[in-house]
Structure formats: C-alpha cells, structure tokens
Amino acid sequence: MTRGFAITLNALSLYAVALVLAAAFAAQLVLQELPCPLCLLQRIQFAVLAIGPILNVRFGPRPSHYALSLLAAVAGAAFSTRQVLLHIMPGDAGYGTALFGYHYYTWALIGFAAAIVLLAAILLFDRQFERGITAEQAAPGAFATSAVWLVIGLTALNVVSTLLECGFGACADNPVVYELLKR
Amino acid sequence: MEFTALFLAVTIVMLVAWFGRRSLALALFAVVLLASVATYLHHATDTLKLSF
C-alpha cells in the first residue's frame, strides 16, 4: 500500500465518521429524540476517532496516528458496551428508536469494533510509512481536505446542539427538551 | 455542560491537528481522551441490571 493510497483510505474513514455524526444528527432532528449522556459520550468518541486520520492526512501516515484512533475506538467500544448492558434485561425496550433492528448504541459498538479491526488491518501495510516526499511538501488534495472540514464542521455543530440540549448545567439522564429553548 | 466542553475540546484538537504542531495535537488528544474517560467514570454509577 503506497503512502498516497493510505491517505485516500484515511480520507474515506473521515467520510465514514462524518456519516455517523450526520446520521446521529438526522435521528435527533427527524425523530425528535435527544441523545442521553452516554449517547453523547459515544458521539464524542466517534469525533475523537477522526483525529488520527486528520493527522495522517496532514503529516502523512504514522503508526502513532493509528494508535490514537485505536485508543479512541477501544474507549468508545467500552462506553457503548456499558449502554448495551444497561438495556440487556429481557423486556427492556432500550433507549430510543431501533434502526434496522438495533439501537444506536448497539450500532455504535459494532462501529467501534469494526474500526478496531480495520485499524489493525491497515497497520499491516508497512510501505505507507516509508519516508519519501514529506506530507508537508505534498499538500492534501480536495477530496481529503473536504473530508477533514466536513468532520470538523459536524463536530462544531455538536457543540451548539449539546449546549442547546444541556444548557449550562448537567445533562438530564433522559432528556426530552432543549434546556436553552425552554419557554 | 461537560459534554459541550468535550465537543468543543475535540473541535480544538482537530483544528490544531490540521493547522498546528503535531506534538501539541498529540498532547491535547491525550487530555481529551482522559477527560472523556473521566466523564464516563463519573456518570457510570447506575447499577447494571444483568439478566443472570
């Protein structure tokens, strides 16, 4: 795997994270279901997962950048496992609406597990780490740059959304209204 | 409020990763990861209702 191909794969992974964040937003806005604190924490971990690929696009692929994403994915998997276990009792309807038979936290666990496997797989290819032209000299293309700004934009939108939902106090365990929009 | 702060912190780390120094981005990443784990541990006080 060449350095250029690895950077393209990293850009694709950023689009995947953007898709997850956009889907969570869509569910929040269309179904009027506000994310719970654990749900927000899982969204945060998906955003943290994107920092490694951003560094790979900016500075070129390095094992340490993939390690950051692995750490974020392991933490995210732990958080989503916690929420799966909270609703594991028979008869428990779960939190929020199910999508294709699974709740969002179950999809999140599948997503983080898939990220761990994919990160391990991409680390198998050593040629991407060979030092040739530096990443600083080779500016990222429009495809990768758009992916970076899409993820940054969606994360910034989450700052606004979470502020509206939780206000300046602690987030409700089962939020039903936006604290800052209450009349 | 802590979740808003975490999202804001992640946005800042992303901007540093894109525009700033690599070492600073790595250090800020560590801070954000530790903060999110600490937030999780702070909230993980509910009893797990396991089925066995």
Side-chain angles (χ1 to χ4, degrees):
Chain A
M1 180 187 297
T2 62
R3 193 179 181 85
F5 185 57
I7 289 175
T8 303
L9 287 181
N10 274 274
L12 281 173
S13 73
L14 286 173
Y15 281 112
V17 170
L19 184 66
V20 168
L21 293 176
F25 253 136
Q28 178 179 341
L29 297 173
V30 175
L31 302 174
Q32 298 287 314
E33 288 180 357
L34 298 187
C36 61
L38 258 178
C39 313
L40 285 171
L41 214 44
Q42 288 160 65
R43 272 195 210 186
I44 288 166
Q45 285 315 116
F46 273 113
V48 173
L49 194 60
I51 294 171
I54 291 175
L55 286 165
N56 277 333
V57 170
R58 169 79 173 77
F59 295 99
R62 296 192 196 187
S64 55
H65 299 162
Y66 290 116
L68 300 185
S69 293
L70 270 175
L71 288 170
V74 168
F79 301 164
S80 46
T81 298
R82 163 80 182 177
Q83 195 163 9
V84 168
L85 291 177
L86 282 171
H87 298 289
I88 205 167
M89 283 278 279
D92 189 316
Y95 185 87
T97 305
L99 180 71
F100 302 121
Y102 290 128
H103 287 86
Y104 296 115
Y105 40 86
T106 310
W107 282 117
L109 177 56
I110 293 168
F112 286 124
I116 291 168
V117 173
L118 290 172
L119 284 160
I122 202 169
L123 276 166
L124 292 171
F125 298 92
D126 288 335
R127 266 189 63 204
Q128 62 181 310
F129 305 119
E130 286 173 3
R131 291 274 160 231
I133 184 169
T134 64
E136 287 84 350
Q137 288 167 326
F143 181 71
T145 305
S146 305
V148 170
W149 281 109
L150 188 59
V151 168
I152 292 176
L154 283 165
T155 309
L157 274 177
N158 269 292
V159 177
V160 178
S161 159
T162 310
L163 182 63
L164 287 174
E165 180 189 331
C166 304
F168 297 100
C171 271
D173 285 340
N174 190 5
V176 288
V177 290
Y178 289 95
E179 283 298 318
L180 287 192
L181 299 181
K182 270 199 307 197
R183 288 170 184 264
Chain B
M1 187 63 199
E2 66 270 34
F3 298 102
T4 309
L6 277 172
F7 270 120
L8 183 60
V10 176
T11 309
I12 290 169
V13 180
M14 286 176 172
L15 289 171
V16 170
W18 190 240
F19 290 112
R21 282 178 23 232
R22 181 177 169 275
S23 55
L24 180 60
L26 294 181
L28 290 175
F29 173 91
V31 171
V32 166
L33 188 66
L34 286 175
S36 59
V37 171
T39 306
Y40 165 72
L41 293 175
H42 175 69
H43 283 273
T45 52
D46 299 335
T47 305
L48 285 178
K49 291 176 261 179
L50 299 176
S51 57
F52 51 86

